[in-house]
Structure formats: C-alpha cells, structure tokens
C-alpha cells in the first residue's frame, strides 16, 4: 500500500499505545504500521484501528456531554445546584448513566480552565452522593482512580485541595460501608502516607 505515492509503505496494524509515531503513519484517520520496519512476532498485522472512533485519546462522545458542559460552563460564577441535581436524576434514569456521565465529567476534569475543573469536581461529588453504588463503583475503578490521584497531587492548589477533601469525605462515609470502593480508600491512605493534607488552606469565612 502506498497512500501518498512515495517509497514508504504501510500495512494495517492494531497499534498498542506504546507504538511511537516513527513506527506509524496516519492515513484516512487510521494508524498503519510501516512495513519497512522490523516488527516483533506478537505484533500481527490486523485491521486498521481508528483512534478517533474508539476514543483512545478521550474524544469518544457521551450522551451526557451536553448537560455536563452546561453545569460546568466557563461563564458560571458558582455551582448551579438545580442543574447538577437534574444531571443526577438523568444518571439515575439511565442504566448506562453512571459510566457515560463519568466519561463526560472526566473530560471536564481535564479542561484547561481551572474554574471548569472545580465545577466538574462538584458535579462528581454530587453524583457520588446521589447516584448510588453503580456510579461510585465507576469512580473507584482502576481506570478512573489515576485521574483522582492526578487531580489530588498534580493540579493547582485549589483543585488539589478540593479533590483531597472530597476523597476524605468519601472515605469517612460511603467507603466504610462498601468494600468494592477499596481503591478510593487505598488512594487516601497513600496520599496520607506521602504527607498530603486533607484540609483547606483557604481562610474561613466570618
């Protein structure tokens, strides 16, 4: 195959995430492995993988995208609790609501605007409290716990403090009664052992 008419050839390949750009070429929105490189035996040529459709880079859509974007909009001064509770109701009315809602929340947690991230944390906390065990298990999954850790450690001061205080609240309440949420408890213990504080440095309002 010669997609651009030059000397470099490509064969379809399901590329692991570790495959570097120098080994692959992008053609018609799919990644292809160059056949002029040595490939290990386990890298069997297969059908092309379309990253944009599979959402490997976080682009997969969710039916909750629109409503989560509204409750975490950049122009909101503070949380709109009525809209947030509407989101919770929508999550509870959809069998796939917990998974899809968390996917949408995760996108907003990675927004470039810290204000949006803080609002997304409020939505996450509200869904944790109001959307039952199914949502909490999604949060306490191996795929999401790293997201929590990142926000608790590698974000701005306000985001990190809010995340850690939220984790502490969860551990002191729902996690005590549900052993399936052990990853959240483990994250809390690890952060505590590493010396992180679980209180706010903001001055108390008089």
């Amino acid at each position: 195959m010669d997609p651009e008419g030059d000397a470099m050839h490509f064969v379809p390949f399901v590329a692991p995430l570790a495959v570097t750009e120098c080994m692959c070429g992008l053609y018609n929105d799919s990644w292809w492995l160059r056949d002029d490189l040595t490939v290990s035996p386990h890298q069997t040529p297969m059908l092309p993988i379309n990253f944009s459709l599979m959402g490997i880079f976080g682009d997969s859509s969710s039916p909750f995208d629109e409503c989560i974007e509204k409750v975490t909009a950049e122009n909101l001064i503070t949380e709109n609790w009525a809209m947030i509770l509407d989101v919770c109701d929508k999550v509870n009315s959809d069998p796939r609501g917990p998974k899809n809602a968390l996917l949408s929340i995760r996108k907003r947690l990675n927004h470039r605007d810290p204000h949006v991230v803080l609002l997304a944390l409020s939505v996450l906390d509200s869904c944790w409290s109001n959307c039952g065990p199914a949502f909490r298990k999604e949060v306490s999954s191996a795929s999401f716990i790293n997201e929590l850790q990142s926000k608790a450690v590698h974000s701005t001061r306000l985001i990190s403090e809010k995340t850690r205080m939220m984790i502490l609240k969860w551990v002191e309440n729902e996690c005590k009664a549900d052993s399936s949420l052990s990853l959240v408890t483990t994250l809390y213990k690890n952060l505590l052992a590493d010396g992180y504080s679980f209180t706010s440095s903001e001055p108390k309002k008089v």
Side-chain angles (χ1 to χ4, degrees), residues 25-108:
L26 184 62
Y27 177 64
N28 285 345
D29 293 326
S30 296
W31 284 95
W32 300 77
L33 182 71
R34 288 168 49 184
D35 63 2
D36 59 339
L37 295 174
T38 301
V39 183
S40 61
H42 69 276
Q43 294 175 335
T44 307
M46 299 174 69
L47 293 175
I49 184 169
N50 190 322
F51 287 157
S52 62
L53 292 179
M54 293 190 67
I56 288 179
F57 298 125
D59 295 330
S60 55
S61 61
S62 160
F64 285 83
D65 283 348
E66 183 177 354
C67 65
I68 296 298
E69 288 172 6
K70 284 183 179 179
V71 297
T72 59
E74 293 93 326
N75 59 357
L76 286 176
I77 298 175
T78 188
E79 292 91 343
N80 185 320
W81 291 110
M83 288 199 304
I84 291 176
L85 291 177
D86 284 343
V87 169
C88 294
D89 289 340
K90 186 175 180 180
V91 173
N92 289 329
S93 66
D94 182 352
R96 293 187 58 81
K99 183 179 291 291
N100 287 330
L102 190 60
L103 175 62
S104 298
I105 292 171
R106 187 171 193 166
K107 294 176 186 177
R108 302 301 275 179

Side-chain angles (χ1 to χ4, degrees), residues 1-202:
M1 177 180 178
D2 191 355
E4 299 297 336
D6 55 22
M8 185 178 294
H9 298 281
F10 295 82
V11 293
F13 175 67
V14 177
L17 294 181
V19 173
T20 59
E21 291 182 2
C22 66
M23 293 178 63
C24 299
L26 184 62
Y27 177 64
N28 285 345
D29 293 326
S30 296
W31 284 95
W32 300 77
L33 182 71
R34 288 168 49 184
D35 63 2
D36 59 339
L37 295 174
T38 301
V39 183
S40 61
H42 69 276
Q43 294 175 335
T44 307
M46 299 174 69
L47 293 175
I49 184 169
N50 190 322
F51 287 157
S52 62
L53 292 179
M54 293 190 67
I56 288 179
F57 298 125
D59 295 330
S60 55
S61 61
S62 160
F64 285 83
D65 283 348
E66 183 177 354
C67 65
I68 296 298
E69 288 172 6
K70 284 183 179 179
V71 297
T72 59
E74 293 93 326
N75 59 357
L76 286 176
I77 298 175
T78 188
E79 292 91 343
N80 185 320
W81 291 110
M83 288 199 304
I84 291 176
L85 291 177
D86 284 343
V87 169
C88 294
D89 289 340
K90 186 175 180 180
V91 173
N92 289 329
S93 66
D94 182 352
R96 293 187 58 81
K99 183 179 291 291
N100 287 330
L102 190 60
L103 175 62
S104 298
I105 292 171
R106 187 171 193 166
K107 294 176 186 177
R108 302 301 275 179
L109 288 174
N110 287 284
H111 197 276
R112 65 182 179 277
D113 186 344
H115 179 62
V116 170
V117 178
L118 289 169
L119 291 174
L121 286 172
S122 294
V123 177
L124 175 63
D125 188 32
S126 186
C127 287
W128 171 280
S129 299
N130 296 290
C131 296
F135 185 87
R136 291 193 282 269
K137 287 178 182 178
E138 291 293 335
V139 174
S140 187
S141 64
S143 61
F144 189 77
I145 208 71
N146 288 334
E147 188 75 50
L148 274 182
Q149 182 178 16
S150 175
K151 293 295 170 287
V153 175
H154 300 300
S155 297
T156 66
R157 178 181 59 81
L158 288 178
I159 291 172
S160 292
E161 286 183 354
K162 182 170 183 174
T163 303
R164 293 196 297 268
M165 291 172 65
M166 187 173 66
I167 292 171
L168 174 61
K169 178 169 70 77
W170 295 351
V171 168
E172 290 180 339
N173 293 279
E174 291 84 1
C175 292
K176 281 187 176 180
D178 190 347
S179 60
S180 69
L181 307 178
S182 60
L183 287 182
V184 174
T185 303
T186 299
L187 173 59
Y188 165 73
K189 291 179 178 178
N190 289 342
L191 292 172
L192 194 63
D194 288 340
Y196 288 99
S197 170
F198 288 81
T199 58
S200 174
S201 62
E202 288 289 288

